[in-house]
Every structure is written in C-alpha cells, then in structure tokens.
Amino acid sequence: MDISIKILRYQPEKDEKPHWQLFKFAIEDEATILDVLNEIHWVHDGTLSYRRSCRSSICGSCAMKVNGRNVLACETPIHRFGTRLKIEPLSGFSIIKDLVVDLEPFFAKLKRIKPYLIVDKPLPDKEFVQSTAELETIGESTLCILCAACSAACPSSWPNQEYLGPAALLKAYRFIFDSRDDGSDERLEIINDKNGVWRCHTIFNCVEACPKKIKITEYLSRLKVKAVENSL
C-alpha cells in the first residue's frame, strides 16, 4: 500500500514553532500507526521522536492524534484511516519534541485525587473480600491505562488547565466506589469544587477517545450523584 503521511514536527533546538513534514512510501496493508512511525524513524528520518513501549495496548505511552482522532499507535491499523494520514501530538499538552508531549501536569492531577487505597479500619488476617457486585461496580474503571487520550479529547480541559479532567476523575471514582477504601470523604471534597467533577459537561469525547471503551461519562455522573449525597 502506498501511503502519504503528514506529521507535525517540532524540534525545539532548531524550530521556532511546529510545522508539517510529508513522507511518502509503501508499507504492508496490515501495518499499524506504530509500524508507520517505526518505518520513518528507522529508514527515512531518525530524528523523529515518539513514545512507544509495550506494543500491546497496555502501557498507554503511544497515544496520539491521527486524522483528528485520539488513538493508541500500537493497536490502530492504518487501513482504518485510508492512505492519507495526518499525525500530531495529543492536544492540550505542551510539546517536548515532535509527537512527545509533557505529561507532568496530567500525572500531577492524578496525584491530587490520591490514587491508592486508603484504609483506616483494622486489616484482615488474609485479604479484603469483595462481593461480585462490589467488584463489578469498579471493574471497568480499573481498566484505565492512563494514556491521557480522554483528557486530551476533553474540551473542558483545553481552556482550563486546573480542571482535573476525565482520567483523574475516573481514578477518583475507582477508589471512592471501592468497598475496601476509607478515603471517600477526602476525595469527594477534592472533586467537589470548581475544577472538579462539575466541569464535566457530558460531551462524551472522552468515551470516544478511550482505547479501552470505558464508559467514563457514566462513572463521572455517578460521582456527581455521590458528591451531592455526601453534601446533604
């Protein structure tokens, strides 16, 4: 398959601002976006920078925008987009180099909601036991791989860098609704402010962008209900 790829390049040591660079070559029909980037990096231009690691849709490091949609490069076949590709870094983050963005603000927001079990009660002799229903309540939310595709797709995040964003709020849901956790009150206080869950306007961009197909807006709606109940 002959393909044409435009990539948004930015190399701070020599570029004043990002610019598009065009590549044209032939590649196998079943190639992924990551295969395309590897072909460019290994054969055509070794200066191209991008993140990659597991190649199994687990680490979340290769999230980027292709033809206007946020995807994981490792799992996305090029035939999904045809023979003309336009690849750029995730929106809403500062570009470090080419397709590599600064995710420090993303992980700082995650840290704010305390993404770990808080246990005040006496520990059991062996392990905490959850019922099937309790596990199902949080099960899908635990599938998040922190790729940042949802937060980059959220229009509420673009003008307000202080907004926690869908990924951090989903992680808050995962612990607030965990039957083993005792930190719900302090997390609800964190999300129940002007830069918390009420900034979510249920636009569903996050659901569309999520590579794990997590129903993020549904869980954020449950968080809103929980925040109201906790305020009564």
Side-chain angles (χ1 to χ4, degrees):
M1 177 192 298
D2 292 323
I3 58 174
S4 171
I5 312 109
K6 289 175 67 176
I7 297 183
L8 192 66
R9 304 293 306 270
Y10 176 64
Q11 307 211 341
E13 67 274 15
K14 64 177 184 179
D15 297 329
E16 292 186 0
K17 59 183 181 180
H19 61 92
W20 293 100
Q21 184 175 0
L22 178 65
F23 297 89
K24 293 183 178 181
F25 50 83
I27 199 163
E28 294 180 1
D29 293 358
E30 299 304 318
T32 63
I33 300 298
L34 182 56
D35 291 328
V36 169
L37 296 176
N38 287 340
E39 171 74 13
I40 294 173
H41 183 71
W42 294 337
V43 178
H44 301 276
D45 187 343
T47 68
L48 178 66
S49 294
Y50 53 101
R51 287 193 174 107
R52 61 186 172 86
S53 184
C54 72
R55 204 181 177 116
S56 301
S57 315
I58 296 173
C59 72
S61 61
C62 64
M64 58 190 66
K65 185 187 290 186
V66 180
N67 290 12
R69 304 176 74 89
N70 293 351
V71 301
L72 292 182
C74 69
E75 69 168 8
T76 307
I78 57 173
H79 60 67
R80 176 177 167 185
F81 297 102
T83 59
R84 300 173 68 88
L85 306 176
K86 190 175 179 180
I87 304 176
E88 54 193 307
L90 292 175
S91 301
F93 297 102
S94 300
I95 302 174
I96 296 175
K97 188 176 182 181
D98 294 334
L99 301 175
V100 178
V101 296
D102 181 7
L103 290 174
E104 286 298 327
F106 174 80
F107 288 109
K109 293 174 183 177
L110 186 73
K111 189 176 180 181
R112 281 168 55 191
I113 60 91
K114 304 183 180 183
Y116 43 81
L117 275 179
I118 298 174
V119 179
D120 295 332
K121 52 183 165 293
L123 296 176
D125 292 335
K126 292 184 178 179
E127 69 274 339
F128 288 110
V129 177
Q130 284 188 306
S131 68
T132 301
E134 289 170 338
L135 178 59
E136 287 179 347
T137 299
I138 62 170
E140 187 177 82
S141 66
T142 67
L143 300 178
C144 174
I145 58 174
L146 299 176
C147 66
C150 60
S151 293
C154 176
S156 298
S157 295
W158 301 333
N160 181 3
Q161 294 298 311
E162 295 302 314
Y163 171 45
L164 282 169
L169 289 169
L170 179 69
K171 190 64 71 176
Y173 169 91
R174 177 253 178 274
F175 286 102
I176 288 172
F177 283 80
D178 191 320
S179 61
R180 302 165 296 178
D181 188 82
D182 298 318
S184 294
D185 288 345
E186 54 188 292
R187 289 199 192 87
L188 284 168
E189 186 174 347
I190 295 168
I191 67 160
N192 189 21
D193 80 352
K194 64 179 182 180
N195 293 313
V197 71
W198 303 108
R199 287 284 179 187
C200 170
H201 300 303
T202 323
I203 300 170
F204 287 93
N205 277 18
C206 55
V207 177
E208 184 177 346
C210 178
K212 297 300 179 183
K213 308 303 178 189
I214 300 172
K215 300 184 290 294
I216 301 171
T217 52
E218 177 178 325
Y219 299 123
L220 267 54
S221 295
R222 295 185 191 178
L223 268 185
K224 292 175 182 176
V225 173
K226 190 78 170 179
V228 171
E229 291 176 344
N230 201 57
S231 301
L232 297 177

